[in-house]
Amino acid sequence: PYTLAIRMEADKDAEIMISVEQDSQLKVLKQSKGWYYVSYRSYFGWVEQDCVTHINPTKTTTNNSNSTSSTNY
């Protein structure tokens, strides 16, 4: 199974806080330079924007806050 790393910082070399399985539901809180700051359960961290697909874009604003997303591989 594929997983997505939620990292402490918006950097590919940053420490991985938790890995989530494909199709996990994430809440995008903000966007910055190719990364999303997300919440997942009680975790808050960064994921690469290219690894996320929006499945509820009606809640998405111009800065991608309050959108619900799932991992995409």
Side-chain angles (χ1 to χ4, degrees):
Y2 295 103
T3 60
L4 174 68
I6 297 179
R7 298 182 179 275
M8 299 288 285
E9 298 175 31
D11 186 318
K12 289 183 181 184
D13 296 324
E15 181 180 348
I16 296 172
M17 183 183 323
I18 187 174
S19 292
V20 298
E21 292 183 13
Q22 184 176 0
D23 298 324
S24 295
Q25 299 298 304
L26 309 171
K27 183 174 183 179
V28 176
L29 303 174
K30 66 180 176 179
Q31 177 184 5
S32 178
K33 300 177 184 174
W35 291 81
Y36 287 131
Y37 185 71
V38 300
S39 65
Y40 174 75
R41 297 184 182 169
S42 62
Y43 297 94
F44 293 84
W46 294 91
V47 297
E48 290 185 79
Q49 187 174 339
D50 292 343
C51 297
V52 177
T53 299
H54 296 283
I55 60 170
N56 191 354
T58 59
K59 292 185 179 181
T60 303
T61 62
T62 55
N63 67 356
N64 293 313
S65 64
N66 298 322
S67 65
T68 303
S69 305
S70 67
T71 56
N72 176 38
Y73 296 94

Coordinates of all heavy atoms in Angstrom, one line a residue:
P1 N 0.8 -1.2 0.0 CA 0.0 0.0 0.0 C 0.9 1.3 0.0 O 1.9 1.3 0.6 CB -0.8 -0.1 1.3 CG -0.1 -1.1 2.1 CD 0.7 -2.0 1.2
Y2 N 0.4 2.3 -0.7 CA 1.1 3.6 -0.7 C 0.8 4.4 0.5 O -0.3 4.3 1.1 CB 0.6 4.4 -2.0 CG 1.0 3.7 -3.3 CD1 0.1 3.0 -4.0 CD2 2.3 3.7 -3.7 CE1 0.4 2.4 -5.2 CE2 2.7 3.1 -4.9 CZ 1.7 2.4 -5.6 OH 2.1 1.8 -6.8
T3 N 1.8 5.2 0.9 CA 1.6 6.1 2.0 C 2.1 7.5 1.7 O 2.9 7.7 0.7 CB 2.4 5.6 3.3 OG1 3.8 5.5 3.0 CG2 1.9 4.3 3.8
L4 N 1.6 8.5 2.4 CA 2.0 9.8 2.3 C 2.6 10.3 3.6 O 2.0 10.2 4.6 CB 0.8 10.7 1.9 CG 1.0 12.2 1.8 CD1 1.9 12.5 0.6 CD2 -0.3 12.9 1.7
A5 N 3.8 10.9 3.5 CA 4.4 11.4 4.7 C 3.9 12.8 5.1 O 3.9 13.7 4.2 CB 5.9 11.5 4.5
I6 N 3.5 13.0 6.3 CA 3.2 14.3 6.8 C 4.4 14.7 7.6 O 4.9 14.1 8.5 CB 1.9 14.3 7.7 CG1 0.7 13.8 6.9 CG2 1.7 15.6 8.4 CD1 -0.6 13.8 7.7
R7 N 5.0 15.8 7.2 CA 6.3 16.3 7.7 C 6.2 17.5 8.7 O 5.2 18.2 8.6 CB 7.2 16.6 6.5 CG 7.5 15.4 5.6 CD 8.4 15.8 4.5 NE 8.7 14.6 3.7 CZ 9.6 13.7 3.9 NH1 10.4 13.8 5.0 NH2 9.8 12.6 3.1
M8 N 7.2 17.6 9.5 CA 7.3 18.7 10.5 C 7.4 20.1 9.8 O 6.9 21.1 10.3 CB 8.4 18.5 11.4 CG 8.3 17.2 12.2 SD 7.1 17.3 13.5 CE 7.8 18.3 14.7
E9 N 8.1 20.1 8.6 CA 8.3 21.3 7.9 C 8.1 21.1 6.4 O 8.1 19.9 6.0 CB 9.8 21.8 8.1 CG 10.1 22.1 9.5 CD 11.6 22.5 9.7 OE1 12.2 23.0 8.7 OE2 12.1 22.2 10.8
A10 N 7.9 22.1 5.6 CA 7.7 22.0 4.2 C 9.0 21.8 3.5 O 9.5 22.7 2.8 CB 7.0 23.3 3.7
D11 N 9.6 20.7 3.7 CA 10.9 20.3 3.1 C 11.0 18.8 3.0 O 10.6 18.1 3.9 CB 12.0 20.8 4.1 CG 13.4 20.7 3.5 OD1 13.7 19.6 2.9 OD2 14.2 21.6 3.7
K12 N 11.4 18.3 1.8 CA 11.5 16.9 1.6 C 12.4 16.2 2.6 O 12.3 15.0 2.8 CB 12.0 16.6 0.1 CG 11.0 16.9 -0.9 CD 11.4 16.6 -2.3 CE 10.4 16.9 -3.3 NZ 10.8 16.5 -4.7
D13 N 13.4 16.9 3.2 CA 14.3 16.3 4.1 C 13.8 16.5 5.6 O 14.5 16.1 6.5 CB 15.7 17.0 3.9 CG 16.3 16.7 2.6 OD1 16.1 15.5 2.1 OD2 16.9 17.5 2.0
A14 N 12.7 17.1 5.8 CA 12.2 17.3 7.1 C 11.8 16.0 7.8 O 11.4 15.1 7.1 CB 11.0 18.3 7.1
E15 N 11.8 16.0 9.1 CA 11.3 14.8 9.8 C 9.9 14.4 9.5 O 9.0 15.3 9.4 CB 11.5 15.1 11.3 CG 11.1 13.9 12.2 CD 11.2 14.3 13.7 OE1 11.8 15.3 14.0 OE2 10.7 13.5 14.5
I16 N 9.7 13.1 9.4 CA 8.3 12.6 9.1 C 7.6 12.5 10.4 O 8.1 11.8 11.3 CB 8.3 11.3 8.3 CG1 8.9 11.5 6.9 CG2 6.9 10.7 8.2 CD1 9.2 10.3 6.1
M17 N 6.5 13.1 10.6 CA 5.7 13.0 11.8 C 4.8 11.7 11.8 O 4.8 11.0 12.8 CB 4.7 14.2 11.9 CG 3.9 14.4 13.1 SD 2.8 15.8 13.0 CE 3.8 17.0 12.2
I18 N 4.2 11.5 10.7 CA 3.3 10.3 10.5 C 3.2 10.0 9.0 O 3.3 10.9 8.2 CB 2.0 10.5 11.2 CG1 1.1 9.2 11.2 CG2 1.2 11.7 10.6 CD1 -0.2 9.3 11.9
S19 N 3.0 8.8 8.7 CA 2.6 8.4 7.3 C 1.2 7.9 7.3 O 0.8 7.2 8.1 CB 3.6 7.3 6.8 OG 4.9 7.8 6.7
V20 N 0.4 8.4 6.3 CA -1.0 8.1 6.2 C -1.2 7.2 4.9 O -0.5 7.4 3.9 CB -1.9 9.3 6.2 CG1 -1.7 10.0 7.5 CG2 -1.6 10.2 5.0
E21 N -2.2 6.4 4.9 CA -2.4 5.5 3.8 C -3.1 6.3 2.7 O -3.8 7.3 2.9 CB -3.3 4.3 4.3 CG -2.6 3.4 5.2 CD -3.5 2.2 5.6 OE1 -4.6 2.0 4.9 OE2 -3.1 1.5 6.5
Q22 N -3.0 5.7 1.5 CA -3.7 6.3 0.3 C -5.2 6.4 0.6 O -5.8 5.5 1.3 CB -3.4 5.4 -0.9 CG -4.0 5.9 -2.2 CD -3.7 5.1 -3.4 OE1 -3.0 4.1 -3.2 NE2 -4.1 5.5 -4.5
D23 N -5.8 7.5 0.1 CA -7.2 7.8 0.3 C -7.6 8.2 1.7 O -8.8 8.3 2.0 CB -8.1 6.6 -0.1 CG -8.0 6.2 -1.6 OD1 -7.8 7.2 -2.4 OD2 -8.0 5.1 -1.9
S24 N -6.6 8.6 2.5 CA -6.9 9.1 3.8 C -7.4 10.5 3.6 O -7.1 11.2 2.7 CB -5.7 9.2 4.7 OG -5.2 7.9 5.0
Q25 N -8.3 11.0 4.5 CA -8.9 12.3 4.4 C -8.1 13.3 5.2 O -7.8 13.1 6.4 CB -10.3 12.3 5.0 CG -11.3 11.4 4.3 CD -11.5 11.8 2.8 OE1 -11.9 12.9 2.6 NE2 -11.2 10.9 1.9
L26 N -7.6 14.3 4.5 CA -6.8 15.4 5.1 C -7.6 16.7 5.0 O -8.3 16.9 4.1 CB -5.5 15.6 4.4 CG -4.7 14.3 4.2 CD1 -3.5 14.6 3.2 CD2 -4.2 13.8 5.5
K27 N -7.4 17.6 6.0 CA -8.0 18.9 5.8 C -6.8 19.9 5.5 O -5.9 20.0 6.3 CB -8.7 19.4 7.1 CG -9.3 20.7 7.0 CD -10.2 21.0 8.3 CE -10.9 22.3 8.1 NZ -11.7 22.7 9.3
V28 N -6.9 20.6 4.4 CA -5.9 21.5 4.0 C -6.2 22.9 4.7 O -7.2 23.4 4.6 CB -5.9 21.7 2.5 CG1 -4.9 22.8 2.1 CG2 -5.6 20.4 1.8
L29 N -5.2 23.4 5.4 CA -5.3 24.6 6.2 C -4.7 25.8 5.5 O -5.2 26.9 5.6 CB -4.7 24.4 7.6 CG -5.3 23.2 8.4 CD1 -4.6 23.1 9.7 CD2 -6.8 23.5 8.6
K30 N -3.6 25.5 4.8 CA -3.0 26.6 4.0 C -2.0 26.0 3.0 O -1.7 24.8 3.0 CB -2.2 27.6 4.9 CG -1.0 27.1 5.7 CD -0.4 28.2 6.5 CE 0.7 27.7 7.4 NZ 1.3 28.8 8.1
Q31 N -1.5 26.8 2.1 CA -0.7 26.4 1.0 C 0.6 27.3 1.0 O 0.5 28.5 1.2 CB -1.4 26.6 -0.3 CG -0.6 26.2 -1.5 CD -1.4 26.5 -2.8 OE1 -2.5 27.0 -2.8 NE2 -0.8 26.2 -3.9
S32 N 1.7 26.8 0.7 CA 2.9 27.5 0.6 C 4.0 26.8 -0.3 O 4.4 25.7 0.0 CB 3.5 27.7 2.0 OG 4.7 28.5 1.9
K33 N 4.3 27.5 -1.4 CA 5.4 27.0 -2.3 C 5.4 25.5 -2.6 O 6.4 24.8 -2.4 CB 6.7 27.5 -1.7 CG 6.8 29.0 -1.5 CD 8.1 29.4 -0.9 CE 8.1 30.9 -0.6 NZ 9.3 31.3 0.1
G34 N 4.3 25.0 -3.0 CA 4.2 23.6 -3.4 C 3.9 22.6 -2.3 O 4.0 21.4 -2.5
W35 N 3.6 23.2 -1.1 CA 3.2 22.3 0.0 C 1.9 22.7 0.6 O 1.5 23.9 0.5 CB 4.3 22.5 1.1 CG 5.6 21.9 0.7 CD1 6.6 22.4 -0.1 CD2 6.1 20.6 1.1 NE1 7.6 21.6 -0.2 CE2 7.4 20.5 0.5 CE3 5.6 19.6 1.9 CZ2 8.2 19.3 0.7 CZ3 6.4 18.5 2.1 CH2 7.7 18.3 1.5
Y36 N 1.2 21.8 1.2 CA 0.0 22.1 2.0 C 0.3 21.8 3.4 O 0.9 20.8 3.8 CB -1.2 21.1 1.6 CG -1.8 21.4 0.2 CD1 -2.0 20.4 -0.7 CD2 -2.2 22.7 -0.1 CE1 -2.6 20.6 -1.9 CE2 -2.8 22.9 -1.4 CZ -3.0 21.9 -2.2 OH -3.6 22.1 -3.4
Y37 N -0.2 22.7 4.3 CA -0.2 22.5 5.7 C -1.6 21.9 6.0 O -2.6 22.4 5.7 CB 0.0 23.8 6.5 CG 0.1 23.6 8.0 CD1 1.2 23.1 8.5 CD2 -1.0 24.0 8.8 CE1 1.3 22.9 9.9 CE2 -0.8 23.9 10.2 CZ 0.3 23.3 10.7 OH 0.4 23.1 12.1
V38 N -1.6 20.7 6.6 CA -2.8 19.9 6.7 C -3.0 19.4 8.2 O -2.1 19.4 9.0 CB -2.8 18.6 5.8 CG1 -2.6 19.0 4.4 CG2 -1.7 17.7 6.2
S39 N -4.3 19.1 8.4 CA -4.5 18.4 9.7 C -5.0 17.0 9.3 O -5.7 16.8 8.3 CB -5.6 19.1 10.5 OG -6.8 19.1 9.8
Y40 N -4.6 16.0 10.2 CA -5.0 14.6 10.0 C -5.2 14.1 11.4 O -4.2 14.0 12.1 CB -4.0 13.8 9.2 CG -4.3 12.4 9.1 CD1 -5.3 11.9 8.3 CD2 -3.6 11.5 9.9 CE1 -5.6 10.5 8.3 CE2 -3.9 10.1 9.8 CZ -4.9 9.6 9.0 OH -5.2 8.3 9.0
R41 N -6.4 13.8 11.8 CA -6.7 13.4 13.2 C -6.1 14.4 14.1 O -6.5 15.6 14.0 CB -6.1 12.0 13.5 CG -6.8 10.9 12.6 CD -6.3 9.5 12.9 NE -6.9 8.6 12.0 CZ -6.5 7.3 12.0 NH1 -5.6 6.9 12.7 NH2 -7.2 6.5 11.1
S42 N -5.2 14.1 15.0 CA -4.7 15.1 15.9 C -3.3 15.7 15.5 O -2.7 16.4 16.2 CB -4.6 14.5 17.3 OG -3.6 13.4 17.3
Y43 N -2.9 15.3 14.2 CA -1.7 15.8 13.7 C -1.8 17.0 12.8 O -2.8 17.1 12.1 CB -1.0 14.6 12.9 CG -0.7 13.4 13.7 CD1 -1.6 12.4 13.8 CD2 0.5 13.3 14.4 CE1 -1.3 11.2 14.6 CE2 0.8 12.2 15.2 CZ -0.1 11.2 15.2 OH 0.2 10.1 16.0
F44 N -0.8 17.8 12.8 CA -0.7 19.0 11.9 C 0.7 19.0 11.3 O 1.7 18.9 12.0 CB -0.9 20.3 12.7 CG -2.3 20.4 13.2 CD1 -2.7 19.9 14.4 CD2 -3.3 21.1 12.5 CE1 -4.0 20.0 14.9 CE2 -4.6 21.3 13.0 CZ -4.9 20.7 14.2
G45 N 0.8 19.1 10.0 CA 2.1 19.1 9.3 C 1.9 19.4 7.8 O 0.9 19.8 7.4
W46 N 3.0 19.1 7.1 CA 3.2 19.5 5.7 C 3.2 18.3 4.8 O 3.8 17.3 5.1 CB 4.4 20.3 5.5 CG 4.4 21.6 6.3 CD1 4.8 21.9 7.5 CD2 3.9 22.9 5.7 NE1 4.6 23.2 7.8 CE2 4.1 23.8 6.8 CE3 3.3 23.2 4.5 CZ2 3.7 25.2 6.6 CZ3 2.9 24.6 4.4 CH2 3.1 25.5 5.4
V47 N 2.5 18.4 3.7 CA 2.6 17.4 2.6 C 2.8 18.1 1.3 O 2.4 19.2 1.1 CB 1.3 16.5 2.5 CG1 1.0 15.8 3.8 CG2 0.1 17.4 2.2
E48 N 3.5 17.3 0.4 CA 3.7 17.9 -0.9 C 2.4 18.1 -1.7 O 1.6 17.1 -1.7 CB 4.7 17.0 -1.7 CG 6.1 17.0 -1.2 CD 7.0 16.2 -2.1 OE1 7.4 16.7 -3.1 OE2 7.3 15.1 -1.7
Q49 N 2.2 19.2 -2.3 CA 1.0 19.5 -3.0 C 0.7 18.6 -4.1 O -0.5 18.2 -4.4 CB 1.1 21.0 -3.5 CG -0.2 21.5 -4.1 CD 0.0 23.0 -4.5 OE1 0.8 23.7 -4.0 NE2 -0.8 23.4 -5.4
D50 N 1.7 18.1 -4.8 CA 1.5 17.2 -5.9 C 1.0 15.8 -5.5 O 0.5 15.0 -6.4 CB 2.8 17.0 -6.7 CG 3.3 18.2 -7.4 OD1 2.5 19.1 -7.6 OD2 4.5 18.3 -7.8
C51 N 1.0 15.5 -4.2 CA 0.6 14.2 -3.8 C -0.9 14.2 -3.2 O -1.3 13.2 -2.7 CB 1.5 13.7 -2.6 SG 3.2 13.5 -3.2
V52 N -1.6 15.3 -3.4 CA -2.9 15.5 -2.9 C -3.9 15.8 -4.0 O -3.6 16.6 -4.9 CB -2.9 16.6 -1.8 CG1 -4.3 16.8 -1.3 CG2 -2.0 16.3 -0.7
T53 N -5.1 15.2 -3.9 CA -6.2 15.5 -4.8 C -7.4 16.0 -4.1 O -7.7 15.3 -3.1 CB -6.6 14.2 -5.6 OG1 -5.5 13.7 -6.3 CG2 -7.7 14.4 -6.5
H54 N -8.0 17.0 -4.5 CA -9.2 17.6 -3.8 C -10.4 16.7 -4.2 O -10.6 16.5 -5.4 CB -9.4 19.0 -4.2 CG -8.3 19.9 -3.8 ND1 -8.2 20.4 -2.5 CD2 -7.3 20.5 -4.5 CE1 -7.1 21.1 -2.5 NE2 -6.6 21.2 -3.6
I55 N -11.1 16.3 -3.2 CA -12.4 15.6 -3.5 C -13.6 16.3 -3.1 O -14.7 15.9 -3.3 CB -12.3 14.2 -2.9 CG1 -12.2 14.3 -1.4 CG2 -11.3 13.3 -3.5 CD1 -12.5 12.9 -0.7
N56 N -13.4 17.5 -2.5 CA -14.5 18.3 -2.1 C -14.2 19.8 -2.4 O -14.0 20.6 -1.5 CB -14.8 18.1 -0.6 CG -16.1 18.8 -0.2 OD1 -16.8 19.5 -1.0 ND2 -16.5 18.6 1.0
P57 N -14.0 20.1 -3.6 CA -13.5 21.5 -4.0 C -14.5 22.6 -3.7 O -14.1 23.7 -3.8 CB -13.2 21.3 -5.5 CG -14.1 20.2 -5.9 CD -14.2 19.3 -4.8
T58 N -15.7 22.3 -3.4 CA -16.7 23.3 -3.1 C -16.4 24.1 -1.9 O -16.8 25.2 -1.7 CB -18.1 22.8 -3.0 OG1 -18.1 21.8 -1.9 CG2 -18.6 22.1 -4.3
K59 N -15.6 23.6 -1.0 CA -15.2 24.2 0.2 C -13.8 24.9 0.0 O -13.3 25.6 0.9 CB -15.0 23.3 1.4 CG -16.4 22.7 1.8 CD -16.2 21.9 3.1 CE -17.5 21.3 3.6 NZ -17.3 20.5 4.8
T60 N -13.2 24.8 -1.1 CA -11.9 25.3 -1.4 C -12.0 26.8 -1.7 O -12.7 27.2 -2.5 CB -11.2 24.6 -2.5 OG1 -11.1 23.2 -2.3 CG2 -9.8 25.1 -2.8
T61 N -11.1 27.6 -1.0 CA -11.0 29.0 -1.3 C -9.8 29.3 -2.1 O -9.0 28.3 -2.4 CB -11.0 29.8 0.0 OG1 -9.9 29.5 0.7 CG2 -12.3 29.6 0.8
T62 N -9.5 30.5 -2.4 CA -8.3 30.8 -3.3 C -7.0 30.4 -2.6 O -6.0 30.1 -3.3 CB -8.3 32.3 -3.6 OG1 -8.3 33.0 -2.4 CG2 -9.4 32.7 -4.5
N63 N -7.0 30.3 -1.3 CA -5.7 29.8 -0.6 C -5.8 28.4 -0.2 O -5.0 27.9 0.6 CB -5.3 30.8 0.5 CG -6.3 30.7 1.7 OD1 -7.4 30.0 1.6 ND2 -6.0 31.4 2.7
N64 N -6.9 27.7 -0.6 CA -7.1 26.3 -0.3 C -7.4 26.0 1.1 O -7.2 24.8 1.6 CB -5.9 25.4 -0.8 CG -5.7 25.4 -2.3 OD1 -6.7 25.2 -3.0 ND2 -4.6 25.7 -2.8
S65 N -7.8 26.9 1.9 CA -8.1 26.7 3.3 C -9.5 26.0 3.3 O -10.3 26.1 2.5 CB -8.1 27.9 4.1 OG -9.2 28.8 3.6
N66 N -9.7 25.2 4.4 CA -10.9 24.5 4.7 C -11.4 23.5 3.6 O -12.5 23.2 3.5 CB -12.1 25.5 4.9 CG -11.8 26.4 6.0 OD1 -11.3 25.9 7.1 ND2 -12.2 27.6 5.9
S67 N -10.4 23.0 2.8 CA -10.8 22.0 1.8 C -10.5 20.6 2.4 O -9.6 20.4 3.2 CB -10.0 22.2 0.5 OG -8.7 22.0 0.7
T68 N -11.3 19.6 2.0 CA -11.0 18.3 2.3 C -10.4 17.6 1.2 O -10.8 17.7 0.1 CB -12.3 17.6 2.7 OG1 -13.0 18.3 3.7 CG2 -12.1 16.2 3.2
S69 N -9.3 16.8 1.5 CA -8.6 16.2 0.4 C -8.2 14.8 0.7 O -8.4 14.4 1.9 CB -7.2 17.0 0.2 OG -7.5 18.3 0.0
S70 N -7.8 14.0 -0.3 CA -7.3 12.7 0.0 C -6.0 12.5 -0.7 O -5.7 13.2 -1.6 CB -8.3 11.6 -0.6 OG -8.4 11.7 -2.0
T71 N -5.2 11.6 -0.2 CA -3.9 11.4 -0.8 C -4.1 10.8 -2.2 O -5.1 10.1 -2.5 CB -3.1 10.4 0.0 OG1 -3.8 9.2 0.2 CG2 -2.7 11.0 1.3
N72 N -3.2 11.1 -3.1 CA -3.4 10.7 -4.5 C -2.0 10.1 -5.0 O -1.0 10.8 -4.9 CB -3.8 11.8 -5.4 CG -3.9 11.5 -6.8 OD1 -4.3 10.4 -7.2 ND2 -3.5 12.4 -7.7
Y73 N -2.0 8.9 -5.5 CA -0.8 8.3 -6.1 C -1.1 7.8 -7.4 O -2.0 7.3 -7.7 CB -0.2 7.2 -5.2 CG 0.2 7.7 -3.8 CD1 -0.7 7.7 -2.8 CD2 1.4 8.3 -3.7 CE1 -0.4 8.1 -1.5 CE2 1.8 8.7 -2.4 CZ 0.9 8.7 -1.4 OH 1.3 9.1 -0.2

